[in-house]
Amino acid sequence: MRQNIVAGNWKMNNTLEEGVTLAKEVNEILKANKPNCQVVLGAPFIHLTEVVKTVDAELVGVAAQNCADKASGAYTGEISAPMVKSTGAQYVILGHSERRAYYGETNAILKEKTDLALANGLTPIFCIGEVLEEREAGKHFDVVKEQIEEALFHLSAEEFGKVVLAYEPVWAIGTGKTASPEQAQEIHAFIRQTLANKYGAEVANDTSILYGGSCKPSNAKELFANPDVDGGLIGGASLKAEDFHGIIAAF
Ligand code: PEP
């Protein structure tokens, strides 16, 4: 059975102290209000060890926001999947559109990162999604299919079963524009069918496919009510414990 997941992506926000405070606040709220979904905090690398220590593991998972496409070596400034794993984090967000756009991450690079994440026991939260011009040209289905095929379809069914997908239309990220529940369901169903064509219905049905893009407490419920939307990847609204909880409480 697939899991419902609400994952925060703090991006490059918060000092270490602020991040730990936010993690503590989220954890306290969830201790008092048991979530009906898996909750994950996507923290900056330098926060990971402390955030892992701060939260109750049965309530909150912890994600890095990236990892290197190499396991170790002379790659100044990079953080590898084994390093992420050593912090106690269980997840890694890969292929976020900001990393694709600003840091030149291609599907080929993301293929390497995914392999290293899986080889080191991390669950990739793998992001896909189209930019506005692609949506307007009606190419969004082709774009997400290609992203999945090129970065993930070399995986065996068993390996793919460990991947979480996050559909994030780039035009909705941080813009206040949200895909309508109908738009989200339409493309999530397409993604699931794409997985079924490759791996079969069982793997496709067991894959969690999250929606991301200006998700907030006021729209989470209608987005998550769709049969193929299994939760959200949350940027801005994950930076305030109350807002983040408002989204978690949609389940
Ligand atoms: C994101 O960056 O993954 C995201 C969904 O951001 P926001 O919620 O701020 O649109």
Side-chain angles (χ1 to χ4, degrees):
M1 265 300 285
R2 63 191 188 240
Q3 254 190 326
N4 289 324
I5 302 171
V6 174
N9 175 13
W10 293 353
K11 311 194 186 186
M12 196 175 72
N13 291 296
N14 290 329
T15 62
L16 175 57
E17 200 183 349
E18 289 163 347
V20 169
T21 300
L22 177 55
K24 213 174 268 173
E25 287 170 1
V26 170
N27 195 62
E28 286 307 308
I29 292 175
L30 296 180
K31 270 196 331 209
N33 308 274
K34 285 269 153 19
N36 291 318
C37 62
Q38 173 67 53
V39 175
V40 178
L41 299 178
F45 288 128
I46 66 141
H47 297 192
L48 293 175
T49 307
E50 289 303 315
V51 170
V52 167
K53 280 191 218 154
T54 300
V55 298
D56 290 316
E58 70 277 10
L59 287 176
V60 181
V62 179
Q65 299 171 17
N66 182 29
C67 71
D69 60 345
K70 309 280 191 306
S72 66
Y75 302 102
T76 303
E78 287 292 289
I79 304 284
S80 69
M83 290 174 181
V84 170
K85 182 68 179 176
S86 74
T87 68
Q90 307 89 0
Y91 299 82
V92 59
I93 298 169
L94 291 177
H96 192 280
S97 61
E98 287 151 16
R99 297 221 48 95
R100 291 178 189 260
Y102 308 147
Y103 301 98
E105 293 196 0
T106 61
N107 294 329
I109 291 170
L110 292 167
K111 181 175 180 233
E112 302 301 323
K113 293 189 178 201
T114 302
D115 287 346
L116 284 163
L118 289 171
N120 286 282
L122 293 167
T123 298
I125 300 176
F126 192 91
C127 304
I128 53 177
E130 80 286 353
V131 299
L132 186 60
E133 302 79 68
E134 291 163 340
R135 163 74 56 169
E136 285 175 345
K139 292 186 183 152
H140 43 298
F141 297 109
D142 291 341
V143 170
V144 297
K145 186 162 180 273
E146 186 174 293
Q147 289 170 336
I148 296 170
E149 280 174 353
E150 292 187 1
L152 301 176
F153 272 6
H154 64 291
L155 298 174
S156 67
E158 194 191 337
E159 288 166 334
F160 191 86
K162 296 175 183 149
V163 174
V164 171
L165 288 179
Y167 167 68
E168 300 205 300
V170 180
W171 46 272
I173 295 179
T175 59
K177 284 185 200 155
T178 314
S180 68
E182 294 75 24
Q183 285 174 320
Q185 171 55 27
E186 181 187 41
I187 196 151
H188 279 233
F190 170 81
I191 293 164
R192 203 176 300 285
Q193 187 57 52
T194 302
L195 305 184
N197 294 344
K198 167 77 178 171
Y199 293 113
E202 196 178 330
V203 171
N205 282 330
D206 284 349
T207 302
S208 297
I209 308 176
L210 316 185
Y211 167 80
S214 299
C215 187
K216 36 190 187 271
S218 59
N219 60 22
K221 214 172 192 135
E222 54 178 3
L223 285 162
F224 298 172
N226 286 297
D228 287 299
V229 178
D230 308 310
L233 181 56
I234 317 299
S238 71
L239 292 170
K240 289 211 174 91
E242 282 298 333
D243 289 348
F244 191 49
H245 180 247
I247 295 171
I248 295 163
F251 280 119

